[in-house]
Structure formats: structure tokens, C-alpha cells
Amino acid sequence: MNLPAALNRLVRYGAIGLIAAVIHAAVLLSLGSWLPLSLANPIGFLTASIAGYLGHALVTFREETGGRRFARRWLLLQYAVNISVCSLLPLLNAPTVVLVFTPTALNALIWNRAARGALHQRQRLGRPAIHADDLGLAPGVNTAILDLATAGRLTSASLLVDGATAESAAEAWRCLPKAHPLVLHLCLTEGPQPQHCPDLPAGFGALLLSSLLPPKRRALRTQVVQSIQAQIHRFQQLTGQHQIQLDGHQHIHLVPLVLDVVLGQPEIVWVRTTAEPLPQGLPLELWIKALRDGGLLKWLVLQPLTWLARRKLKAAGIRTNQRFAGVLFTGKMAGAALDAAERSLGDGDLLLAHPAAAVNPDQLEQHQFHRSAAFFSSPWRQHEWKALRTRAPRG
């Protein structure tokens, strides 16, 4: 580690240590008035230990952990060692400097070992799956996705059943030598209007707001059920798959109103979630782009929705991916953003991209895919295709 990186690490370590000390003091002061000090102090110390455990994993040693927590055994070890040492040293009449710096040195050693263990675990876990959305939307999209899949650079893809080329795309995917099952790309935000669904398609914001307002939720639920079931039926016709993995166009499946309907469909066995760790080692201009382009705002919206979705999926016995990348820099997964995303993920995780060859936006407009017309007109679709072409083949 070079000097600037070491100083940056030291500043982060000190900041987390200061926060933990403040938390310890605050808990001690709040409990000290009605609990004996011998009980209040260990509780305060435990609270501070938890803060340090989370802070050092997510901030201080984030390069090693990739944004994951340390194994819980490190928290138990740190707490036990510190309680033992802080109890023993006064009995030995240790000088003040020893009383102060011995726990600090032990903590630094423990968290450093925890970080090395986390790095070793990540390196052992392997690489994330690479997934492409919107197969079936247009010929140019199909061309790029099928090319990447044939070259072994792509793990899986999602089929947009209402896309203009969904039928030919599904047929071409079946002919691939090592084709994984397709994923249903649920679409409620654009495309042809479903029969007897006057309020669909609707935007992400409108559906999210309807989830929070009971009258609107009740009014839309029947239409959402009908549209989802129609897309499931169409997907089964095109692919012959009876058990269905599902994700959503513009992540619409994570909206509570939509997710609750999805959970009620017996064919669904897997649903994508978007627990995306903040990538490390990115230049400042990329973070500015994420803020300017709305990626950071989308990330802030989708993280709590994923948190809620994971609990519902677990209760329903439906599988999901562990972690994810593709929201912060959605549509621009190439170069430094793609490299950082791959570094932050491992086996069981999912990296999302939207590769495509040239697409005729007028054709997308004719099929009512207005948002996608602008998105797939960007040269970034070809940049992503080229960037994924350079990755190592997927098994």
C-alpha cells in the first residue's frame, strides 16, 4: 500500500474509532443514571464494538471486504478480548499509557486480520454472473446478447415477451450450445397496453406511489395481476419453461404492489434483487456522473425496496441473487465502472448490462417503448457490448 493510500486508511480508521468512542460515551451516560456502572459499561462497550465492526468493514477496510460485513466471529473476538484486557490491566497496575493504547493496538490487529480474511474469502468465491436485459426488444439488442452468449461472455439473459422480436429471440436462444434458462423480464412501464388494463403501462413512480396509497393500490391490483399472468403465459409459450425466474424492466418488480402479485404466482422460483455495494477505486468524475444521471438516486430508492423484498422472498421460499451491480451506472457499464463492479462482486452475485448493436428508435416508438427508444439510441449500448466482449469467458 502506497503512502497516500495508507494515510487515507489511517484517517478512516481514526474516524470510525472516534464514532465508536462517542457511541460508547453516549450509551454510558444514558444508562448510567439507572444501571450500575459495572453493567452499563459493558453494554456501552458492546454498542461501540458493533459500530466499529460495521464501520471498519464498510468504510475502513472496504477495499478488502467489497462492502460486506466481517464474519460475526470477529465481533465476538473483539468484544471478548477487549473486555478481558480492560478488566485485567487495572489489576496489574498498568500505567495509563498501557491502559489506553493496549486495547487500541489489539483492535487494529483484530480488524486487520478480519479484513485479510474477508479478502481471502472474496478471492476464493470467484466471479459474478453477467446478465443482459431486454432480449426480444429489437434486432440490435438480440444481436449483441446472442453474440456475447455464443462467445461465453454472458451467463444469462432476460426475455421481454412484448418486444417486437421476442419470438425469434427465444428461438435463437434455445439454439445456443450451452443456453441457460431465460429469465422473464416483467414490463409494466412501457410497451403495448395490456387488454382490459386502462391504467397500464404506468411509470415506476406512479406504481410506487400507488403501493403506498390503499385506494390506488386496490384499483390497480387487478390490472397488475392480469398483466403479469399474461406475460407469464406468453413466456411459457415462447420458452417452454414451466418454472420461471423473474426480474423487471426498470426494476418494476421491486415495487411492493407488483412484488406482492409476483409472490402469488406459483410458477416463480427466483426473483432478482438489487443489493448493490458501493464500488471502490472510482474516479471522482464517475461519482459526479452517477449523481447527475440519476444513478445515485435510483440506488437510494432501490436499496430499501430490495431490503423489503428479500424478507418477503425468504418468507415465500423464493430464491434470489446475493448482491448486484448495475443501478449506480446503469447503461454505462464499461471501463472503470465495469471493472469496479466486478471487483466488488463474487460467486452468487449478479452484474447487469444492456449491450446492443445499433437499434432503430422509430421502431421502438412504434411498439410503444418510448423510454427504451432514447436509452438504446445511446452509443453506450455498443460500448457495453465491446466491453463485455473483452471479459474472460463465463463457465
Side-chain angles (χ1 to χ4, degrees):
M1 184 180 292
N2 57 36
L3 182 59
L7 290 175
N8 183 279
R9 172 71 57 86
L10 185 62
V11 169
R12 283 184 275 166
Y13 189 93
I16 296 300
L18 180 61
I19 292 170
V22 169
I23 290 173
H24 187 177
V27 172
L28 196 59
L29 289 173
S30 61
L31 296 180
S33 59
W34 55 282
L35 284 178
L37 185 62
S38 59
L39 185 58
N41 190 46
I43 294 174
F45 194 84
L46 176 60
T47 310
S49 292
I50 294 172
Y53 163 76
L54 294 173
H56 289 309
L58 302 179
V59 178
T60 307
F61 297 100
R62 61 194 181 194
E63 290 84 1
E64 287 88 346
T65 65
R68 297 189 185 200
R69 291 178 293 177
F70 295 134
R72 283 191 289 270
R73 64 179 179 272
W74 293 105
L75 172 61
L76 297 175
L77 176 64
Q78 188 264 357
Y79 185 66
V81 167
N82 276 267
I83 286 292
S84 301
V85 169
C86 291
S87 301
L88 181 62
L89 288 179
L91 298 177
L92 299 176
N93 295 318
T96 302
V97 66
V98 174
L99 290 174
V100 171
F101 286 104
T102 298
T104 302
L106 288 172
N107 286 339
L109 177 62
I110 290 169
W111 297 134
N112 187 64
R113 292 290 297 178
R116 289 171 62 185
L119 179 61
H120 176 73
Q121 179 73 3
R122 285 182 62 219
Q123 291 172 338
R124 186 179 64 81
L125 286 177
R127 299 175 299 166
I130 295 185
H131 180 90
D133 275 355
D134 301 311
L135 181 68
L137 178 65
V141 179
N142 299 348
T143 297
I145 291 177
L146 292 169
D147 170 71
L148 291 168
T150 302
R153 266 65 176 181
L154 200 63
T155 311
S156 55
S158 297
L159 181 66
L160 191 64
V161 297
D162 289 330
T165 59
E167 188 170 351
S168 60
E171 178 63 30
W173 185 269
R174 273 199 302 272
C175 294
L176 293 175
K178 295 181 180 180
H180 289 260
L182 283 168
V183 179
L184 170 58
H185 197 49
L186 181 67
C187 184
L188 300 171
T189 56
E190 58 177 341
Q193 186 177 53
Q195 285 188 337
H196 313 299
C197 298
D199 299 313
L200 295 177
F204 184 98
L207 287 168
L208 180 58
L209 181 62
S210 298
S211 296
L212 305 175
L213 300 174
K216 285 185 171 291
R217 186 184 182 103
R218 287 192 296 269
L220 264 177
R221 181 178 171 83
T222 301
Q223 297 179 49
V224 170
V225 169
Q226 184 168 330
S227 180
I228 289 177
Q229 290 180 343
Q231 291 184 52
I232 288 175
H233 180 67
R234 173 70 171 158
F235 181 83
Q236 290 177 325
Q237 284 184 321
L238 292 174
T239 65
Q241 297 172 209
H242 298 291
Q243 291 190 326
I244 295 177
Q245 301 177 74
L246 179 142
D247 56 33
H249 195 55
Q250 297 155 3
H251 309 290
I252 196 63
H253 65 295
L254 294 176
V255 168
L257 166 61
V258 179
L259 181 64
D260 289 346
V261 175
V262 167
L263 295 177
Q265 309 308 309
E267 302 90 348
I268 306 301
V269 297
W270 180 93
V271 171
R272 184 172 76 198
T273 49
T274 58
E276 181 169 9
L278 293 175
Q280 310 303 323
L282 287 175
L284 178 60
E285 56 264 29
L286 279 183
W287 287 110
I288 294 173
K289 283 184 179 180
L291 180 62
R292 184 190 63 207
D293 298 342
L296 192 56
L297 177 60
K298 287 176 64 177
W299 183 89
L300 290 169
V301 171
L302 288 172
Q303 297 319 292
L305 291 180
T306 281
W307 185 84
L308 292 170
R310 281 177 170 273
R311 279 144 183 80
K312 292 181 178 181
L313 291 169
K314 184 177 181 180
I318 295 175
R319 295 177 291 110
T320 188
N321 52 294
Q322 294 182 29
R323 298 189 305 164
F324 173 88
V327 170
L328 273 170
F329 302 101
T330 184
K332 295 184 178 179
M333 292 299 285
L338 178 59
D339 293 339
E342 279 202 288
R343 287 196 304 269
S344 68
L345 301 179
D347 189 44
D349 300 332
L350 191 67
L351 191 156
L352 173 65
H354 298 84
V359 169
N360 185 341
D362 292 337
Q363 291 181 347
L364 295 180
E365 291 281 1
Q366 290 171 8
H367 286 87
Q368 310 304 311
F369 286 98
H370 305 297
R371 294 179 178 87
S372 292
F375 184 78
F376 280 93
S377 297
S378 168
W380 275 99
R381 305 286 62 72
Q382 288 81 63
H383 295 334
E384 287 194 8
W385 182 13
K386 182 178 179 180
L388 292 177
R389 244 328 192 142
T390 66
R391 315 320 270 188
R394 262 45 196 173

